[in-house]
Amino acid sequence: MALIVQKYGGTSVGSVERIQAVAQRVYKTVKAGNSIVVVVSAMGKTTDGLVKLATEISPNPNRREMDMLLSTGEQVTIALLSMALQELGQPAISLTGAQVGIVTEAEHSRARILHIETTRLTRHINEGKVVVVAGFQGTSSAGEMEITTLGRGGSDTSAVAIAAALRANFCEIYTDVPGILTTDPRLVAEAQLMDAITCNEMLELASLGAKVLHPRAVEIARNYGVPLVVRSSWTDDPGTWVISPKPQGRSLINLEIARPVDHVEFDTDQAKVALLRVPDKPGVAARLFGEISRQKVDVDLVIQSIHEGNSNDIAFTVTTPILKRAEAVTAAIAPALRSQSNPKFDEAEVMVEHNIAKVSIAGAGMIGRPGVAAKMFATLAAAGVNIQMISTSEVKVSCVVNAAECDRAVSALCTAFEMEAKSKGELLTPNPCTEAINRVSPHSSPIPPVRGVALDLNQARLAIRQLLDRPGMAAKLFGLLAQHNISVDMIIQSQRCRVINGVPRRDIAFTVSQVDGENAREMLTQVAAELGWGEVVLDSAIAKVSIVGAGMVGQPGVAAKMFEALAQQQINIQMIATSEIKISCVVAQEQGVKALQAIHAAFGLAGSEKFVVPA
């Protein structure tokens, strides 16, 4: 007999008929000999309706009262589903977040779970009851027992946290799609269903705006080794398994605020090649990386910062043994990328740097915590280490530094985050998640290098011109953003260094949520003069399109194929950032959907079946 946690979203319980259908599914699972805890969201658009009511009363409603209001939506669902189960003859009891023992921070509208008191929950399970739990909510640990909500995706988070606390056999997330697809079926009807996906791939996709699972839920599953499966509420299809590594005995106390960083990584076998002043137009990255791919040169980090005038800079890192080949390819193609209108002024220049190292912090707990990257930069600044390149993903921040400073950088980061360092060689051991995928979903052909494509239309880009190029500048900038609780996504530091009055300066650009864009611009503009920064520029008309896949490691040509797909559609790439399993490009917002569709087609991710998402 298995202990299963099932979660049903708002669409799945959007009417009396759908609640009765869920009750039938739960009843069938119990009759198969399983114990069940069900976590539900508010019915349909109930939460949207409650928010509308609040804004009709107040343009800026009090967050505590909003939690009181929004928590009522799930209470309607749990009572109705419990009644429906009882009508089928199945003992059931409905419990609010407070009653079930979900204890959170005293942070209204965005609380994180501290722990779950499972005594009452376990008692009802042992009595043979189905426990129906209100997702999205809990209660603060303070004596006043304040009702709190967990923020967007809170029911996913509740369900996986309960599964972790109960050590359930697995957690099922029921939704309006048949599992995890290669992209949003609303944008590409032929999106293909995956049998399984690694936890890290899912974290990247979830954080990039894939709406099937919230990244906080994936983070908990990864940290506690919860087997997770996403299934359709409308069929009995097997869905998609999200494969996590084996649990490491992590404490269930401070469940969601445990250590954000799992390990510090370093790689001293790196060199950097930068191509400066290439034309800022479609097809440039495709030509460069297409030639690099044809020469079988495997690149690691790739960054392209904001343009300056009509030109841009592209930089990438390679392992030292193939540096000469990478340098030769880049030098050979540079003349072909020269501006035809003014070749002398805009001549592309190749810059090579040998003695560099890459240091990184990695961990699922970094998501949505703006202070983590800032802490890394502050730690490096305190150690006197200057950052030459920055590249970020949802679960990793990487910095390129001088090789002579690598040991000092790693030691400082290990102390700051209370971690042990891992070299690149240690990280090349078989991925336990990938091995598990092969067991769950034995493929006749290898897992493709790209598993999914995601589009985020809700970001804005900020650029700061002429930031002082010295240790501590990134720490000050991102420390300020962290103090204002502004999370940063992509961070790109330009390769072109300009000396003004004897002081070296660089531009830096980064993306934030659109809702934070204007506040961030105003705050940074206020301190720019004091800190010696140049102009702060905000652009909200951008889109970020990304490819994700654990199989792209060691596969030359993946980036080139992505860039070529964009070039064929005459889509200009404004920024590039990469990690080991993700490549992201910033493009014009109006071209975002076309970019996603072109990339999805280029990697052959479409299936033969068309998925229609229920209304």
Side-chain angles (χ1 to χ4, degrees):
M1 182 176 77
L3 173 57
I4 303 170
V5 176
Q6 295 183 341
K7 179 262 175 177
Y8 294 90
T11 307
S12 303
V13 291
S15 65
V16 168
E17 292 75 20
R18 289 183 177 180
I19 288 174
Q20 289 171 329
V22 166
Q24 289 283 356
R25 185 185 289 271
V26 173
Y27 181 68
K28 180 180 176 182
T29 308
V30 173
K31 288 306 173 187
N34 303 296
S35 297
I36 305 293
V37 175
V38 183
V39 178
V40 293
S41 300
M43 294 175 63
K45 302 293 184 182
T46 298
T47 301
D48 293 341
L50 293 173
V51 170
K52 185 173 183 293
L53 286 173
T55 55
E56 288 175 359
I57 295 290
S58 168
N60 187 26
N62 178 276
R63 281 168 51 194
R64 178 191 182 276
E65 302 309 329
M66 282 299 290
D67 278 1
M68 290 290 286
L69 176 65
L70 297 183
S71 65
T72 63
E74 281 72 19
Q75 291 181 47
V76 172
T77 317
I78 60 173
L80 292 173
L81 180 55
S82 185
M83 292 174 192
L85 285 164
Q86 290 165 10
E87 283 297 302
L88 295 173
Q90 171 59 48
I93 184 169
S94 61
L95 298 176
T96 66
Q99 290 173 321
V100 85
I102 297 177
V103 180
T104 75
E105 303 169 301
E107 189 73 45
H108 289 293
S109 79
R110 55 171 182 253
R112 288 183 180 266
I113 297 172
L114 298 177
H115 63 277
I116 300 177
E117 301 282 357
T118 58
T119 306
R120 183 175 183 183
L121 195 53
T122 303
R123 185 178 79 247
H124 289 312
I125 292 169
N126 291 338
E127 290 169 352
K129 295 176 183 175
V130 171
V131 184
V132 186
V133 179
F136 176 66
Q137 61 183 253
T139 182
S140 69
S141 57
E144 295 182 352
M145 299 287 287
E146 289 287 303
I147 291 175
T148 55
T149 62
L150 308 182
R152 191 175 69 83
S155 293
D156 287 354
T157 305
S158 301
V160 182
I162 289 171
L166 290 173
R167 294 182 170 83
N169 294 86
F170 53 91
C171 179
E172 298 176 325
I173 305 291
Y174 285 93
T175 183
D176 53 7
V177 291
I180 297 164
L181 303 170
T182 50
T183 195
D184 187 341
R186 298 169 183 85
L187 302 178
V188 180
E190 298 82 9
Q192 192 171 352
L193 180 67
M194 289 181 256
D195 296 330
I197 187 171
T198 68
C199 47
N200 284 348
E201 288 171 325
M202 191 65 240
L203 269 172
E204 298 281 16
L205 286 171
S207 301
L208 290 166
K211 299 177 178 63
V212 178
L213 274 175
H214 194 273
R216 280 172 64 184
V218 184
E219 175 190 347
I220 296 170
R222 181 183 186 274
N223 287 343
Y224 292 93
V226 177
L228 192 59
V229 61
V230 179
R231 290 183 170 145
S232 170
S233 298
W234 325 112
T235 72
D236 292 322
D237 293 343
T240 305
W241 285 91
V242 181
I243 309 299
S244 296
K246 291 181 180 179
Q248 301 299 312
R250 189 185 288 254
S251 171
L252 287 164
I253 303 299
N254 291 334
L255 191 146
E256 265 205 288
I257 60 170
R259 274 189 320 218
V261 174
D262 290 332
H263 48 264
V264 176
E265 305 170 6
F266 67 95
D267 181 7
T268 55
D269 190 24
Q270 293 257 316
K272 178 176 71 175
V273 180
L275 195 57
L276 309 183
R277 293 185 294 277
V278 297
D280 183 44
K281 63 181 183 181
V284 171
R287 290 188 69 182
L288 172 61
F289 287 97
E291 188 58 37
I292 286 171
S293 170
R294 282 188 285 276
Q295 299 301 322
K296 305 298 183 186
V297 174
D298 189 21
V299 300
D300 185 2
L301 297 181
V302 180
I303 69 164
Q304 177 182 304
S305 190
I306 49 171
H307 66 86
E308 184 171 328
N310 294 317
S311 67
N312 216 322
D313 303 336
I314 301 176
F316 56 92
T317 62
V318 295
T319 57
T320 305
I322 62 171
L323 172 61
K324 287 186 177 179
R325 202 158 17 123
E327 184 180 357
V329 172
T330 308
I333 200 171
L337 299 177
R338 186 178 304 165
S339 171
Q340 299 304 310
S341 58
N342 194 345
K344 290 184 179 179
F345 181 76
D346 277 330
E347 184 175 353
E349 174 190 353
V350 179
M351 182 177 70
V352 177
E353 192 159 347
H354 297 261
N355 299 314
I356 65 166
K358 182 177 72 172
V359 294
S360 309
I361 56 172
M366 295 165 58
I367 296 168
R369 299 181 192 179
V372 178
K375 183 176 180 179
M376 179 186 190
F377 302 148
T379 299
L380 294 177
V385 177
N386 196 35
I387 300 169
Q388 299 181 24
M389 290 173 70
I390 300 170
S391 188
T392 60
S393 80
E394 276 64 17
V395 294
K396 180 178 285 190
V397 181
S398 297
C399 295
V400 169
V401 302
N402 190 298
E405 298 175 335
C406 180
D407 288 347
R408 190 162 77 247
V410 170
S411 177
L413 290 172
C414 286
T415 300
F417 290 103
E418 302 176 3
M419 288 282 121
E420 290 185 4
K422 293 186 178 182
S423 70
K424 182 181 179 182
E426 293 175 277
L427 294 165
L428 291 177
T429 55
N431 185 328
C433 293
T434 306
E435 289 182 335
I437 276 189
N438 291 327
R439 291 195 301 272
V440 171
S441 176
H443 291 268
S444 56
S445 57
I447 295 173
V450 174
R451 308 296 310 287
V453 186
L455 176 67
D456 190 345
L457 294 169
N458 298 310
Q459 292 210 347
R461 179 181 60 220
L462 284 142
I464 301 178
R465 300 290 188 182
Q466 300 175 15
L467 198 74
L468 297 172
D469 185 30
R470 62 175 60 152
M473 284 297 101
K476 283 184 179 178
L477 168 58
F478 295 104
L480 283 167
L481 293 167
Q483 288 171 22
H484 288 77
N485 203 37
I486 296 173
S487 291
V488 176
D489 184 12
M490 294 173 71
I491 303 173
I492 308 291
Q493 183 173 269
S494 70
Q495 292 305 293
R496 216 178 302 185
C497 186
R498 175 178 294 131
V499 178
I500 300 176
N501 297 325
V503 179
R505 296 173 178 270
R506 294 180 192 268
D507 296 343
I508 195 165
F510 53 92
T511 60
V512 299
S513 171
Q514 278 182 356
V515 297
D516 290 328
E518 186 56 41
N519 289 339
R521 188 196 65 78
E522 289 180 5
M523 182 267 293
L524 294 174
T525 300
Q526 288 171 6
V527 300
E530 175 190 341
L531 295 172
W533 299 344
E535 183 184 11
V536 180
V537 182
L538 172 67
D539 183 358
S540 297
I542 64 164
K544 184 177 78 169
V545 62
S546 307
I547 57 174
V548 172
M552 69 172 67
V553 178
Q555 292 276 348
V558 175
K561 183 179 284 191
M562 180 183 189
F563 303 153
E564 177 61 29
L566 296 176
Q568 287 179 359
Q569 298 297 319
Q570 288 297 299
I571 296 172
N572 195 34
I573 300 172
Q574 300 179 18
M575 292 170 68
I576 302 170
T578 67
S579 72
E580 282 83 352
I581 66 169
K582 185 185 77 172
I583 303 172
S584 294
C585 295
V586 168
V587 301
Q589 189 176 66
E590 63 188 20
Q591 295 181 309
V593 172
K594 184 165 73 169
L596 176 138
Q597 292 169 341
I599 293 167
H600 192 269
F603 284 98
L605 295 177
S608 56
E609 183 180 353
K610 290 190 176 183
F611 292 105
V612 178
V613 180

